Amino acid sequence: MKEPLLLSPIRDTSMIESHQTQMVILVDRDPLLRTRLSAAINERQWSTSEFESVETCTNAIEMLSSDLTLCVVSELGLPGRGGLGLQDRLNAMPKPISTIFYTEQASTNEIVTAMNQGALTVIEKSEGHHVVLNRLNEAFELARRKFETAEQQRIARDQLHSLSRGETEVLKGILNGKLNKEIAQQLNLSVRTIEQRRRQIFNKLDVQHPASLTQKVMQATHLLNKQPAPIKLNISLPMISAESVI
């Protein structure tokens, strides 16, 4: 039977419309467990949505307002790709979502994989609903911090994209530790022109010192958060290691 695509009970409508709403998404094949856990969560003034599969859950999340802060509480043993497949889908979404796995006895390999994929924790159902409830505040705080980091990275990227071709060439020289005179010689420009472009770079990136400039570029390319690869930019910049700003 196809699961109806309902985001939440009617009693949660006013909470969903609030820009500060925190919603818990429950994904479990057991309808009784979903109902009981949902009731316990609602008592703590969080809204909930209940699903029994990865597809219905992720499809519904894509329809939700971007103003919502979400935490997914899911079992690992879901049909198809399972809870770990759900985690992969959540990681690919534009807004960070915290995940708590609430499941039957999990193997060590499943726990390690879930944590490596970004899950906050893995809780066995035998521990009880109260253990999940006690971790929800932490989960929402984690989602908020992840969102703020992503937003800072977006702003840094936009600032980096605002640089002209000439400013980008000067930026490369600055990041490589070259003096204005050396950059001028390399680009066959006057020192005054380099100084002017340097000021424009610092103004556009909203930084005051070379160290903060380097950190801003690293932030834009995700290196501050040690992502596996820098995001693609329309400009070519020298590779920067975290050690170069120490």
Side-chain angles (χ1 to χ4, degrees), residues 7 17 21 36 55 58 62 69 89 127 132 141 147 210 229:
L7 299 184
E17 294 175 349
T21 295
R36 289 177 174 175
E55 288 300 322
T58 54
E62 290 173 352
T69 301
R89 295 278 293 273
E127 297 184 62
V132 176
E141 177 61 19
F147 174 75

Side-chain angles (χ1 to χ4, degrees), residues 13-235:
T13 300
S14 62
M15 299 184 72
I16 293 176
E17 294 175 349
S18 171
H19 287 186
Q20 297 181 350
T21 295
Q22 297 174 324
M23 177 179 283
V24 181
I25 308 294
L26 302 177
V27 192
D28 199 288
R29 293 166 295 175
D30 184 347
L32 181 59
L33 181 143
R34 294 199 309 266
T35 299
R36 289 177 174 175
L37 183 55
S38 179
I41 293 171
N42 292 155
E43 287 180 1
R44 298 202 180 187
Q45 306 304 310
W46 282 303
S47 59
T48 55
S49 293
E50 302 174 27
F51 303 96
E52 62 180 17
S53 70
V54 173
E55 288 300 322
T56 54
C57 169
T58 54
N59 289 341
I61 288 177
E62 290 173 352
M63 296 171 57
L64 290 172
S65 168
S66 60
D67 293 321
L68 292 170
T69 301
L70 303 178
C71 170
V72 170
V73 177
S74 172
E75 66 171 326
L76 281 168
L78 294 171
R81 297 182 62 198
L84 297 178
L86 172 60
Q87 180 72 64
D88 283 338
R89 295 278 293 273
L90 297 177
N91 288 342
M93 292 187 175
K95 184 171 182 179
I97 300 172
S98 291
T99 307
I100 294 174
F101 283 112
Y102 186 45
T103 192
E104 300 294 345
Q105 186 173 5
S107 68
T108 300
N109 183 60
E110 286 177 322
I111 295 173
V112 170
T113 302
M115 301 298 286
N116 285 338
Q117 289 183 355
L120 174 63
T121 187
V122 178
I123 301 171
E124 293 193 358
K125 290 179 179 178
S126 60
E127 297 184 62
H129 295 349
H130 69 282
V131 180
V132 176
L133 297 175
N134 291 338
R135 299 300 297 272
L136 287 178
N137 278 323
E138 184 181 353
F140 283 122
E141 177 61 19
L142 176 62
R144 184 191 65 79
R145 292 199 306 268
K146 286 182 177 180
F147 174 75
E148 289 181 350
T149 298
E151 185 66 9
Q152 290 169 358
Q153 291 170 343
R154 182 193 64 79
I155 292 172
R157 289 198 304 268
D158 290 345
Q159 291 173 330
L160 208 55
H161 282 302
S162 73
L163 299 180
S164 67
R165 183 183 299 273
E167 290 164 351
T168 300
E169 292 300 319
V170 174
L171 175 60
K172 291 179 183 179
I174 296 173
L175 293 175
N176 284 321
K178 294 183 178 180
L179 301 175
N180 289 346
K181 181 179 179 180
E182 295 172 318
I183 299 173
Q185 291 175 343
Q186 180 181 354
L187 300 179
N188 196 25
L189 296 170
S190 68
V191 173
R192 184 172 182 179
T193 297
I194 300 303
E195 291 174 345
Q196 181 181 16
R197 291 182 181 178
R198 185 186 183 101
R199 285 194 296 270
Q200 291 170 336
I201 292 169
F202 276 65
N203 287 335
K204 288 184 177 181
L205 299 187
D206 192 25
V207 294
Q208 303 296 324
H209 308 286
S212 54
L213 172 69
T214 304
Q215 291 177 26
K216 177 63 71 74
V217 175
M218 292 176 66
Q219 185 177 58
T221 56
H222 284 197
L223 290 177
L224 278 181
N225 292 326
K226 299 182 179 179
Q227 299 288 339
I231 48 178
K232 294 181 179 179
L233 300 172
N234 292 331
I235 59 177

